Each structure stands twice: as structure tokens, then as C-alpha cells.
Amino acid sequence: MRQANQFVLGIKSFYEAAIFIAKHRLWLYFIAPLLLSVGIYYLGEYYDDLSKEVEVEAENMRQLMFALMGKLFYKLLFYLFHESTKYIVIMVLSPIIALLSEKVEEILTGNEYPFVWKYYINDVKRGLRINAVSLVQEYAIFIVWLIIAFFIPGLSFLNPFVAYFIGLYYYGFGFMDYVNERRRLDVSQSVFFTRKHFGLAFGIGVVYSSMFMIPYAGVVIAPVLGMVATTLAMSQIVDLGSNRYARKKKRKGEAPQSAEPTPAG
């Protein structure tokens, strides 16, 4: 499948995800993002208010430096909660969306994955690690761009667009890795797979990122729709039903097929 077709697949999968959620009544998975959105909003506003309360007037240079550092610190926290919300949501909701992706795959293919705390905790840690690294890499690339734009007049107006497009790939990669983990791809293999299917990663990232432009509601619906859409899209690229680490859902009169619960790398 060409990258352009994968890009379109990533976008249209969100529409299919909305229908899928309604059909299979997966509404409970919206509760956690709803609570999280409230917490992120109030924490962000709290740190912004603290930054405004910090007095910058001081009797000497030392006091002035401490006051400015305190104001900058709270401003950075405010920026973190408001501008990095897309990553914070994925990281904090990692346990929820991991289970959601398994549920979607079970409905699609009949695959079931034995629940073992050790493996589940490893999966959550992997999701947290990958999204944290993606956040650092995204900002590192953007800082490089800012340095380039600083020395080349006329480029600074592109800063918001560059920041937006850099993040698209990483958002898609973060979601796709949840599926790749169940396929028992290690992190390097997952990175290679996503690069091979970067069109899909960008398509997922475009819609996921754009949904955060919807005030308040975006934080609630974006992670759930993003995970369902990714799982649906991945099922059209790889044969999830033949995953040897899963066991088929038990039918009447049949014993469930065994699975190989090998932990991911």
C-alpha cells in the first residue's frame, strides 16, 4: 500500500472508529480522559496564576534573578500542561488505551491475550517510555529549527507550522506501538515498522492533533478515537488474526487455543 493511501487510511479510520465505538458500546473508555481533561485544565490554570503572583521587583540582583526564575518555572509548567497535552494524555492514559486496543482487536479477530500483571506493567512502561522519548525528540528537532530560523531572516513565521508537523509522526507512532507490542516487536522493530508505514502514522497524527483544537472535548475524545482508529487501520495492513502470541476466543464446545505470552522487548 502506497504512503498516500496509508495516509488516507489513517484519516478515514477515525470515522470508522466512531461507528465502531457506537456499535460496540465502548463508551466507558471515555470516563478516564474526561477526568484527566479536567485535571490538566485546572493544573495548567493553577500554575499560570502562580506565575502571575510571583513578584519580579527585588532589592538586589540576586533577588531579582530568583524572582525571574520562579516566574519562568511556573510559565514552563503552564506551557507543559497546555502545549504538551497531546503527549501527557497518551502517557497518563497508557493503561486504559492499551486495554482498549486489545478489546478492539478481540472484537475484530477473536484474539485474546492472557492477562499477566508482569507483562501488563511492562507494556505500560514501554508506552510511557516511548511517548516520553518522542516528546523529547520532537522538542529537540523543534529547537534545532528555532536556531536555524533565528539565523535566517524570514523563517520565523513558519515556527507554528513546523511545530505542528513535527509532532504528527510521533503521535501516530505512539498509537501504532501499542499494536506492535502485542505482535511482540521490540522498540527498534516498531520504529522500523512505523518508518516503513509513515503515511499511516502521519494520517493518524493529523486527526489526533487536530481534535485538540476542539475546546475541552478534544482531550476527551481524541485518545479513545485515536486508539480505536489505529487498531482498525493496522488490521488492514497486517494480519492481526494470525498473531501467534494471542489465543482465539473460546467458542461453545471448544477449548481456547493456547498463546505464547512472551514479553515484549
Side-chain angles (χ1 to χ4, degrees), residues 1-259:
M1 185 180 293
R2 294 181 178 179
Q3 299 299 336
N5 293 336
Q6 291 188 21
F7 179 78
V8 174
L9 173 63
I11 293 177
K12 74 175 186 179
S13 291
F14 278 80
Y15 172 74
E16 296 171 356
I19 297 175
F20 189 91
I21 291 171
K23 180 179 178 180
H24 298 283
R25 301 180 181 180
L26 302 176
W27 308 114
L28 288 178
Y29 289 95
F30 286 103
I31 295 177
L34 175 61
L35 297 176
L36 178 62
S37 67
V38 175
I40 289 176
Y41 174 79
Y42 281 106
L43 277 175
E45 292 301 318
Y46 172 72
Y47 288 125
D48 188 40
D49 291 339
L50 286 179
S51 71
K52 295 176 182 176
E53 293 175 5
V54 174
E55 297 290 339
V56 294
E57 296 182 1
E59 297 179 357
N60 53 56
M61 182 60 67
R62 183 178 181 182
Q63 291 181 359
L64 178 61
M65 289 297 296
F66 276 111
L68 290 175
M69 289 174 62
K71 194 174 184 68
L72 177 61
F73 174 73
Y74 289 122
K75 278 292 185 183
L76 287 173
L77 288 175
F78 170 76
Y79 181 83
L80 174 67
F81 279 102
H82 278 271
E83 301 301 325
S84 302
T85 301
K86 300 165 190 176
Y87 281 111
I88 295 175
V89 166
I90 299 178
M91 289 189 286
V92 175
L93 296 179
S94 182
I96 305 297
I97 59 180
L99 292 175
L100 172 59
S101 184
E102 287 187 12
K103 181 64 177 178
V104 174
E105 184 175 328
E106 177 187 334
I107 295 172
L108 289 174
T109 66
N111 286 351
E112 289 183 333
Y113 295 87
F115 184 88
V116 180
W117 272 110
K118 176 183 177 181
Y119 301 151
Y120 177 68
I121 293 174
N122 287 338
D123 295 347
V124 172
K125 287 181 179 179
R126 170 170 164 159
L128 291 172
R129 183 172 69 252
I130 282 182
N131 284 286
V133 171
S134 295
L135 175 61
V136 173
Q137 290 180 348
E138 178 185 341
Y139 279 97
I141 295 173
F142 185 59
I143 289 173
V144 172
W145 164 259
L146 289 178
I147 295 174
I148 294 174
F150 178 79
F151 288 102
I152 302 178
L155 289 183
S156 58
F157 79 97
L158 293 174
N159 290 351
F161 302 99
V162 173
Y164 174 78
F165 282 107
I166 290 174
L168 299 183
Y169 173 83
Y170 288 105
Y171 303 144
F173 169 54
F175 281 114
M176 291 169 67
D177 186 69
Y178 285 100
V179 180
N180 286 334
E181 185 283 326
R182 290 197 301 278
R183 299 171 60 218
R184 296 304 183 239
L185 302 185
D186 60 31
V187 175
S188 61
Q189 290 172 329
S190 183
V191 170
F192 178 80
F193 177 89
T194 306
R195 288 176 179 173
K196 185 178 179 181
H197 302 279
F198 67 86
L200 177 61
F202 272 104
I204 293 169
V206 165
V207 184
Y208 173 74
S209 182
S210 299
M211 293 179 74
F212 279 82
M213 297 179 184
I214 306 174
Y216 308 110
V219 181
V220 178
I221 62 178
V224 176
L225 277 175
M227 191 70 262
V228 175
T230 301
T231 310
L232 293 176
M234 288 282 283
S235 69
Q236 297 188 44
I237 293 179
V238 296
D239 183 11
L240 299 180
S242 62
N243 190 346
R244 65 191 181 97
Y245 298 107
R247 66 184 182 192
K248 287 298 180 180
K249 194 171 184 178
K250 182 179 179 180
R251 299 178 181 177
K252 292 182 179 180
E254 294 182 351
Q257 298 179 7
S258 60

